[in-house]
Amino acid sequence: MAIKNFLFLLALISFIGGCQVLQKRQSAPIVIGQNQTLEQTTQAPTKVLPVGVFFGPGALRTYAHVGVLKALHQAQIPIVAVGGHEWGAVVAAFYAFSKSANSVEWQMLKLRKDQIPTRSFLSATLAPKESASFLQYLKFVFADKLLEETKIPFSCFTTDNERSYPVKDGKAFERVAMCASLPPMYKAFESKWIAVPNVESDWVDSLKAAGAEFLIYVDSLSEGAFFSKYKYDSQETLTALWTGIRNNSNLAQKQANMVIQTGVVNDLLDFDSRREMIKKGEEVGKSALEPLKAAIGVN
């Protein structure tokens, strides 16, 4: 399938999913972000609530997720399960194996610039790379680890454009590629598998099934233009795709107990600003600690 037609199909799927009405929680989530105030005060629970964290999509903006994770880990927030959408799944998988935010940062910074789309003398626009480049990175960092060997439960979601599938087992480098491959970064894994454009309520079910009682959604997609630094092949269709993904992400957040919005507005492929995004995510993560500790019963 030509990449333009493929992207159009993805954009259509994402748009339809973004229009779906999700089952909302009875109360609004606590929202943390640079431009947000608390929407709800939460009474202290009678016990410490185990936490599940879901890392939303955003391509390389998800480096800000690493900063949020560092803040949560340093504060010893009791994270019992993680999941992710698109590149949020990469962050989640690294943490599930290590339970170390510093290890996640180290592994994420091993990604090389030649492993993502870059401009060349032959083309001024960026096009998705073949999944082989992604696999090269994932195989290097995960080796032959199995998802069944993670220290805490992990889940992500993939689709073959016919139906979506939860991913919880198998070789980590292959399964994460299935969940995270999506333009503008990579073409479909094995010409078939891509990140699910719509996670609907699946992320909630997966974290609760793993024992989480307080759900955090980390968002790095709700603000800013997606493509502000580079020009892309089929950019209008890509914009439609990611607009649908953003709309769906905004709906999915309503099912969380807390939403941490990092506020990053970088181009989705802004490789050179990775450390700055990590730092910004950590700052926002630290601002969430006081209300988070109160909400889950941690002194």
Side-chain angles (χ1 to χ4, degrees):
M1 182 184 298
I3 187 65
K4 188 173 183 178
N5 292 336
F6 174 72
L7 288 175
F8 176 78
L9 177 60
L10 285 183
L12 180 61
I13 293 171
S14 186
F15 174 78
I16 293 172
C19 292
Q20 293 175 347
V21 178
L22 299 178
Q23 182 180 359
K24 296 182 182 179
R25 297 175 61 252
Q26 292 183 350
S27 56
I30 302 169
V31 180
I32 305 295
Q34 290 190 330
N35 300 317
Q36 299 289 344
T37 57
L38 296 186
E39 296 184 1
Q40 171 190 326
T41 57
T42 305
Q43 293 183 343
T46 57
K47 65 171 186 175
V48 176
L49 300 179
V51 174
V53 183
F54 190 84
F55 300 95
L60 296 188
R61 284 190 188 182
T62 57
Y63 277 88
H65 294 356
V66 179
V68 172
L69 187 54
K70 290 177 69 175
L72 300 181
H73 188 75
Q74 289 167 5
Q76 298 183 333
I77 300 302
I79 299 173
V80 299
V82 289
H85 180 204
E86 197 250 349
W87 261 70
V90 181
V91 177
F94 284 146
Y95 188 74
F97 275 109
S98 67
K99 288 199 68 176
S100 165
N102 287 336
S103 177
V104 175
E105 181 178 24
W106 181 50
Q107 301 289 17
M108 289 285 286
L109 290 174
K110 289 180 181 177
L111 180 69
R112 303 195 313 266
K113 197 166 187 177
D114 66 315
Q115 293 172 324
I116 67 170
T118 54
R119 288 182 295 186
S120 69
F121 293 110
L122 300 178
S123 176
T125 60
L126 302 186
K129 298 201 76 162
E130 297 291 341
S131 60
S133 296
F134 193 19
L135 277 180
Q136 182 186 46
Y137 164 65
L138 294 176
K139 183 66 183 291
F140 177 67
V141 292
F142 285 119
D144 292 322
K145 291 179 180 177
L146 301 175
L147 290 181
E148 298 94 311
E149 300 169 346
T150 57
K151 294 181 178 179
I152 59 174
F154 160 83
S155 62
C156 62
F157 306 90
T158 189
T159 181
D160 57 3
N161 276 329
E162 293 183 4
R163 54 166 292 192
S164 62
Y165 303 86
V167 174
K168 298 181 180 180
D169 55 23
K171 290 186 177 181
F173 76 93
E174 292 179 339
R175 295 298 192 253
V176 173
M178 291 169 66
C179 289
S181 295
L182 193 70
M185 290 196 70
Y186 301 106
K187 297 179 182 179
F189 175 60
E190 295 181 344
S191 303
K192 179 179 181 180
W193 302 103
I194 57 167
V196 177
N198 318 303
V199 294
E200 300 180 355
S201 62
D202 293 341
W203 75 275
V204 173
D205 298 336
S206 66
L207 294 182
K208 285 186 174 180
E213 297 181 34
F214 188 93
L215 306 183
I216 298 174
Y217 190 104
V218 183
D219 164 53
S220 291
L221 196 62
S222 60
E223 299 182 35
F226 308 120
F227 312 116
S228 56
K229 186 175 182 179
Y230 304 111
K231 297 295 183 182
Y232 294 80
D233 287 356
S234 305
Q235 186 158 323
E236 290 184 0
T237 307
L238 277 172
T239 299
L241 167 65
W242 280 91
T243 299
I245 292 173
R246 171 186 278 170
N247 291 342
N248 182 265
S249 176
N250 291 341
L251 286 173
Q253 293 172 31
K254 297 181 184 298
Q255 300 178 89
N257 299 101
M258 173 177 280
V259 179
I260 300 178
Q261 297 177 338
T262 65
V264 292
V265 295
N266 301 65
D267 189 287
L268 293 186
L269 294 188
D270 189 358
F271 182 89
D272 297 328
S273 299
R274 294 177 300 164
R275 294 185 184 277
E276 289 83 355
M277 288 188 279
I278 292 173
K279 182 178 180 180
K280 187 169 186 178
E282 186 171 8
E283 291 171 353
V284 175
K286 287 179 178 178
S287 73
L289 293 178
E290 183 176 348
L292 173 57
K293 288 181 176 181
I296 65 174
V298 172
N299 296 326

